[in-house]
Amino acid sequence: MAKITAVIDIGSNSARIAIFKRTSRYGFYLIEEHKSRVRISENSYEAQGYLQKEAIERAICALRGFLKIAHDLGARKIFCVATSAVRDAPNRGDFLALVRSCLGLNIRVISGEKEAFYGAVAAFNLLPYQEGITIDIGGGSCECALIKEGKIVHLSSLNIGTIRLKELFFDKNTSLQQVIEFVQNEIKKLPETLKSHCIFGIGGTIRALSKAIMERAEYPLSTLHAFEYSVAEQQSFFEQIYSARNTDELERLGIDEERFDNIRGGTLIFSLLLLHFGATNVVTSGVGVREGVFLSDLLRNSHFTFPIGFNPSTRSLIDRFCTEDTRSKNIASYSLKLFDTLYLLHEIDETYKFHLKTAAKLLDMGSSLNFYQSNKHSSYFLVNGLNYGYTHRDRILISILVETYASKKVPNIDKYQKFASLTPPYKHIVWLSLILAIAESAAIHLQNVDFKYHNNKLSIATYDDPYLFKESLKKIPLPNNLVIQTDWLEE
């Protein structure tokens, strides 16, 4: 098993390397990522697609540096793929031979459909949703994939991309209407039946748009992956971007300087595709072709999907930071039993059992940094480390539960208010934290515990001496309508 795998992606605009480290069979995490603005497609669209000498030289230099990074980190596998600009180039064979001769690196030129496939594999495995359409806007092309019930059912590739539009239209000050007509004619090649309310947005253009939206809204998290927004609320913003007449207007709209020269074309493509698909919601993807290539290798024997209920981020965090796996499993088990036992009191929807179970499994991870205030360390780890398969709401709630349970106090109302737009009602957080605190105390001091609830009394039966457990309960602020009775059973 290759512990460290590097994936290089040569796009029309940028070349990137992502390096992944496996922690167990399917657990992994990203250990390094680099980007070089190679612009392999520069000046090629007006030269019948031929890659130009200067662009090729930049690519060779970037790839040489990428290979050094990969080898220094001990990568046992190195995959390198090239997309639109290289696959369309009549002189691509010369470029591939030169790279192989100079660097010993074999580049695999992938089709548009294969590019769409890799984006889809990354999206449905690493985003928290199983149905939607991926839109991956690159420099030379745009790939789309329809995902239903976690399966890829359609792949498409269109010859519209940010650099292609820039060189063919925007650099020549062509009228916006002509650009719109060009893009619409390409979009017409898509099947009319290709519709979805949910869009998974992949690529630099869409990440740049999401970043601007988050800053304008003063969003409480800085994480782009799995950030969601309403299409209806942002279409006018998109129109302002692709209609902008100069960089000053783009700067006022919150667009980063490095995106000034290609954001208009990318936003126009994205906006028109959202309308075509009838989309109402966008989920930003921080993953794409590179993760798709890695996962296609990792999951090649399991139909390119993780086992049901498996999450690679959770597994990776447990593998790296959790030292008491047996206790964590007991806390999770007791938490779920307590949730069910006390349901008549809290009446919280059962979907929150997922958050309770995840928090219970990862409670002690902060101890690997420092035992004291380990819950605060764990909380920080979780809000930043639950990268894949979780919504932002999931991450915040799990983080708050893990930080709160050990303090044996009512959850901090100030922190709740900071993230109020991403959390359930405050009373839910209070109850879930309480359940977690009781379960953790029980897992430390007792075994073979039985929970029963009747007439506002929670009875906890155990064969272990409950002395220390009873002491720990005194620190937990119980609601007025709950009394806990501990019964010490004889063998």
Side-chain angles (χ1 to χ4, degrees), residues 37 187 270 323 357 405:
R37 208 174 185 197
I187 290 176
F270 189 47
T323 58
K357 182 179 180 181
Y405 89 96

mmCIF file of all heavy atoms in Angstrom, residues 37 187 270 323 357 405:
data_model
loop_
_atom_site.group_PDB
_atom_site.id
_atom_site.type_symbol
_atom_site.label_atom_id
_atom_site.label_comp_id
_atom_site.label_asym_id
_atom_site.label_seq_id
_atom_site.Cartn_x
_atom_site.Cartn_y
_atom_site.Cartn_z
ATOM 1 N N ARG A 37 1.061 29.057 -11.925
ATOM 2 C CA ARG A 37 0.242 29.653 -12.987
ATOM 3 C C ARG A 37 0.961 29.487 -14.328
ATOM 4 O O ARG A 37 1.446 30.443 -14.934
ATOM 5 C CB ARG A 37 -0.003 31.118 -12.682
ATOM 6 C CG ARG A 37 -1.289 31.647 -13.266
ATOM 7 C CD ARG A 37 -1.538 33.057 -12.814
ATOM 8 N NE ARG A 37 -2.820 33.540 -13.279
ATOM 9 C CZ ARG A 37 -3.144 34.818 -13.316
ATOM 10 N NH1 ARG A 37 -2.265 35.731 -12.932
ATOM 11 N NH2 ARG A 37 -4.320 35.196 -13.737
ATOM 12 N N ILE A 187 -23.792 25.354 -24.790
ATOM 13 C CA ILE A 187 -24.661 24.752 -23.776
ATOM 14 C C ILE A 187 -25.802 23.970 -24.428
ATOM 15 O O ILE A 187 -26.273 22.956 -23.883
ATOM 16 C CB ILE A 187 -25.198 25.843 -22.828
ATOM 17 C CG1 ILE A 187 -24.056 26.373 -21.945
ATOM 18 C CG2 ILE A 187 -26.322 25.299 -21.940
ATOM 19 C CD1 ILE A 187 -24.455 27.515 -21.033
ATOM 20 N N PHE A 270 -20.748 29.954 -15.797
ATOM 21 C CA PHE A 270 -21.406 29.399 -14.616
ATOM 22 C C PHE A 270 -22.852 29.881 -14.520
ATOM 23 O O PHE A 270 -23.775 29.081 -14.307
ATOM 24 C CB PHE A 270 -20.623 29.803 -13.365
ATOM 25 C CG PHE A 270 -21.056 29.124 -12.103
ATOM 26 C CD1 PHE A 270 -21.252 27.758 -12.062
ATOM 27 C CD2 PHE A 270 -21.257 29.852 -10.942
ATOM 28 C CE1 PHE A 270 -21.640 27.119 -10.889
ATOM 29 C CE2 PHE A 270 -21.646 29.237 -9.772
ATOM 30 C CZ PHE A 270 -21.837 27.867 -9.742
ATOM 31 N N THR A 323 -6.480 8.233 20.998
ATOM 32 C CA THR A 323 -5.688 7.208 21.692
ATOM 33 C C THR A 323 -6.544 6.184 22.430
ATOM 34 O O THR A 323 -6.052 5.125 22.791
ATOM 35 C CB THR A 323 -4.739 7.878 22.702
ATOM 36 O OG1 THR A 323 -5.510 8.657 23.623
ATOM 37 C CG2 THR A 323 -3.749 8.792 21.988
ATOM 38 N N LYS A 357 -22.984 10.923 17.718
ATOM 39 C CA LYS A 357 -22.088 9.776 17.551
ATOM 40 C C LYS A 357 -20.699 10.217 17.086
ATOM 41 O O LYS A 357 -19.676 9.747 17.592
ATOM 42 C CB LYS A 357 -22.691 8.799 16.541
ATOM 43 C CG LYS A 357 -21.871 7.542 16.326
ATOM 44 C CD LYS A 357 -22.561 6.614 15.332
ATOM 45 C CE LYS A 357 -21.747 5.349 15.098
ATOM 46 N NZ LYS A 357 -22.419 4.440 14.110
ATOM 47 N N TYR A 405 -19.060 19.732 26.248
ATOM 48 C CA TYR A 405 -19.414 18.634 27.155
ATOM 49 C C TYR A 405 -18.502 18.580 28.380
ATOM 50 O O TYR A 405 -18.940 18.331 29.497
ATOM 51 C CB TYR A 405 -19.355 17.293 26.407
ATOM 52 C CG TYR A 405 -17.987 16.668 26.457
ATOM 53 C CD1 TYR A 405 -17.667 15.706 27.412
ATOM 54 C CD2 TYR A 405 -16.973 17.091 25.599
ATOM 55 C CE1 TYR A 405 -16.390 15.165 27.492
ATOM 56 C CE2 TYR A 405 -15.708 16.563 25.674
ATOM 57 C CZ TYR A 405 -15.422 15.597 26.615
ATOM 58 O OH TYR A 405 -14.170 15.076 26.708
#
